[in-house]
Amino acid sequence: MSAERLKDFPAGPGARETFPWEQWVNGEIWKLSRGTGPDADFVKTLPAMRTVIYAAAKRRGLSVRTRAVRDGQEEALVVQFAQRDEHFDDATPKETASNKKAK
């Protein structure tokens, strides 16, 4: 047996996951799958990943909406980022006192 040189140190339990934020924050709607296989986008629990997503949005000065989806054994988060001053396309702005007067 001979020693083998590795390019990267292997991740262990509790290792930090890295995510393609620049891809995900583009305003499109993304379904991020939870799991351990090659097609999974994250390993964390849904609540833990949601916390990571909201923190990423805050660091970038963005708004984000999330929805947990479960289909049998599959767990995923649907996410969409937007500029803070923009409404999501299908979201209805909340009625406020100022826009109530305009009606």
Side-chain angles (χ1 to χ4, degrees):
M1 183 157 137
S2 64
E4 177 184 358
R5 185 179 299 204
L6 301 176
K7 182 178 177 184
D8 296 310
F9 201 84
R16 293 186 133 209
E17 295 178 72
T18 58
F19 305 106
W21 294 115
E22 296 312 310
Q23 178 183 7
W24 293 349
V25 300
N26 68 359
E28 294 181 28
I29 301 168
W30 294 91
K31 181 180 177 185
L32 310 178
S33 298
R34 179 178 185 262
T36 56
D39 293 334
D41 297 300
F42 65 96
V43 176
K44 300 176 181 324
T45 64
L46 294 183
M49 186 61 185
R50 183 177 274 153
T51 299
V52 169
I53 289 168
Y54 278 96
K58 184 175 182 178
R59 281 192 308 275
R60 289 166 174 78
L62 300 171
S63 294
V64 65
R65 63 180 174 169
T66 65
R67 171 130 335 121
V69 292
R70 292 178 177 90
D71 184 16
Q73 293 294 97
E74 181 188 6
E75 291 185 314
L77 279 174
V78 175
V79 300
Q80 184 179 25
F81 291 83
Q83 296 301 316
R84 282 226 169 121
D85 57 347
E86 293 178 9
H87 292 285
F88 293 101
D89 288 341
D90 62 342
T92 305
K94 291 182 180 173
E95 191 170 64
T96 63
S98 60
N99 68 16
K100 232 181 194 179
K101 290 178 188 175
K103 289 184 179 181

